[in-house]
Amino acid sequence: MQAKVNNFRISQRRPLWLTLRFIKYTYTQSVFFSSANNLKGSNALIVIYENGLTSKTMQYIASQSIHPATVFLNQNEITKRHCKIRWFNQISEIKRCGHGTLAAANFLIKHFGYCPKAFISMSHERFTIKEKKQRAQLLLKSIEPQKSKLAKDELQNVFSLAIKAAYSTGDKNGYTVVLFNKEFSEEFDKEFNKNPDEKQDLKSLRVDFKALSKAHKNAVIALNIQNINEKTAIVQFRYFAPQFGVNEDSATGSAVSVIAPLLFRLLGLNKAKLIQQSNNGALLNYEFNNAKVLIY
């Protein structure tokens, strides 16, 4: 398929690595922003390359980038049904990156008019793309976390707010969700709207990143329920991963694959508006159905 464009620039300043003969196109793409809510979302540097770009060079390029994620796609694969994808931050390769994948898909749709049906990670995970009104939506398999007293005990002194419950997907290189709302019960619905203390804002949450990186091996999602109405549910979250080189991520699509099944199990919600309360802020919408999460 013939490309509609020949070149893109990430900035007025041309970095040295951009002169590499392997690099075909570069572009910066934003996702999860909302002008109406003054949420800036996040962005990713998209790099499309020809055969020959090594992992070492990919990491070097990412280390020179100011973006939270640098996404690498092979030019020979972007017109195929399935396309391999790799993501890097400034210091290491990223295992899963929802915001980088959506950014890559939207870039291809916008500038080339096509997009693979799925991106495949180095761990062979499938990141399925759906199109709606020329915008990409990301479909992921959900990851079911289990309640973990061990995680709660390990993280109790890491945060400035008291943890009421913790749920983990594993003991290493997984996700742990910590809740600052009280334990969920049949009385939760009745008491929730009466008690303003249950609606404390996560912006004021303080985190000891040094203690977190020593105490726990998972990335940590701090979760706070703001509205549990089925049609207008609002949930705040923040994402911390100092163990993987990111103290706090600005917008984290992959986290929704863990948040969505947990909210469904605890509150029966199959969709909600997720507000990521990082410095930039982000808005993520999702729908949960049949153990899959559609993120947009």
Side-chain angles (χ1 to χ4, degrees):
M1 187 177 293
Q2 183 65 38
K4 294 182 179 179
V5 289
N6 293 318
N7 194 25
F8 307 99
R9 294 180 61 191
I10 59 170
S11 67
Q12 292 183 347
R13 182 174 63 86
R14 185 178 176 86
L16 181 62
W17 59 261
L18 198 53
T19 63
L20 291 171
R21 63 183 177 89
F22 304 113
I23 306 298
K24 193 66 177 177
Y25 307 112
T26 62
Y27 193 79
T28 300
Q29 180 72 45
S30 298
V31 292
F32 300 141
F33 56 87
S34 172
S35 301
N37 295 284
N38 196 29
L39 301 173
K40 297 179 181 178
S42 187
N43 51 50
L45 174 63
I46 314 301
V47 179
I48 298 180
Y49 66 94
E50 295 178 321
N51 290 334
L53 197 64
T54 65
S55 299
K56 184 177 180 180
T57 304
M58 290 181 187
Q59 183 61 74
Y60 169 71
I61 292 171
S63 73
Q64 303 300 303
S65 171
I66 61 172
H67 307 290
T70 300
V71 185
F72 293 90
L73 304 173
N74 190 311
Q75 185 186 19
N76 295 325
E77 297 184 0
I78 58 176
T79 57
K80 296 181 179 179
R81 186 176 180 84
H82 298 154
C83 175
K84 294 178 183 176
I85 189 168
R86 298 179 72 175
W87 319 273
F88 290 76
N89 61 28
Q90 280 75 14
I91 65 171
S92 63
E93 186 163 6
I94 303 170
K95 184 179 179 182
R96 306 177 80 233
C97 186
H99 103 265
T101 305
L102 265 180
N106 279 317
F107 161 71
L108 293 175
I109 292 169
K110 180 179 180 181
H111 293 287
F112 290 91
Y114 57 79
C115 179
K117 296 298 182 183
F119 293 99
I120 309 299
S121 73
M122 291 293 286
S123 61
H124 306 293
E125 183 177 3
R126 179 186 295 266
F127 291 74
T128 301
I129 300 298
K130 293 182 175 294
E131 273 189 65
K132 186 174 183 180
K133 297 181 179 178
Q134 295 186 310
R135 295 290 297 175
Q137 298 181 334
L138 176 62
L139 185 66
L140 291 176
K141 288 184 178 180
S142 63
I143 304 174
E144 188 76 36
Q146 301 300 321
K147 195 167 186 179
S148 174
K149 185 179 184 304
L150 175 63
K152 179 182 176 182
D153 292 342
E154 288 180 345
L155 295 169
Q156 198 64 255
N157 296 323
V158 169
F159 298 100
S160 58
L161 297 176
I163 297 173
K164 301 299 175 65
Y167 297 79
S168 291
T169 63
D171 296 328
K172 185 178 181 181
N173 297 327
Y175 298 89
T176 293
V177 182
V178 294
L179 294 171
F180 300 104
N181 294 102
K182 67 183 180 182
E183 288 279 17
F184 298 90
S185 67
E186 293 180 358
E187 297 299 316
F188 184 80
D189 284 357
K190 298 177 181 179
E191 297 296 325
F192 185 80
N193 292 319
K194 298 179 182 179
N195 190 350
D197 292 337
E198 293 296 336
K199 297 186 179 183
Q200 51 197 329
D201 201 290
L202 285 182
K203 286 183 178 180
S204 61
L205 179 68
R206 297 188 302 278
V207 186
D208 186 335
F209 293 113
K210 187 175 181 180
L212 173 55
S213 61
K214 290 182 178 180
H216 203 63
K217 299 183 184 300
N218 287 347
V220 177
I221 303 163
L223 201 65
N224 197 49
I225 317 299
Q226 286 293 296
N227 187 327
I228 58 176
N229 183 284
E230 186 176 353
K231 294 183 178 180
T232 60
I234 298 175
V235 179
Q236 300 171 347
F237 79 103
R238 291 173 68 182
Y239 181 91
F240 311 106
Q243 312 91 323
F244 307 109
V246 181
N247 278 353
E248 180 168 5
D249 201 0
S250 54
T252 320
S254 59
V256 188
S257 62
V258 181
I259 294 172
L262 182 60
L263 291 177
F264 181 76
R265 185 171 66 182
L266 297 177
L267 297 171
L269 295 173
N270 61 3
K271 62 180 180 179
K273 180 182 292 185
L274 298 177
I275 306 294
Q276 189 159 349
Q277 292 194 301
S278 59
N279 286 335
N280 287 339
L283 173 64
L284 296 82
N285 292 287
Y286 78 87
E287 295 176 14
F288 175 66
N289 189 33
N290 293 328
K292 293 184 179 180
V293 186
L294 186 66
I295 306 163
Y296 53 96

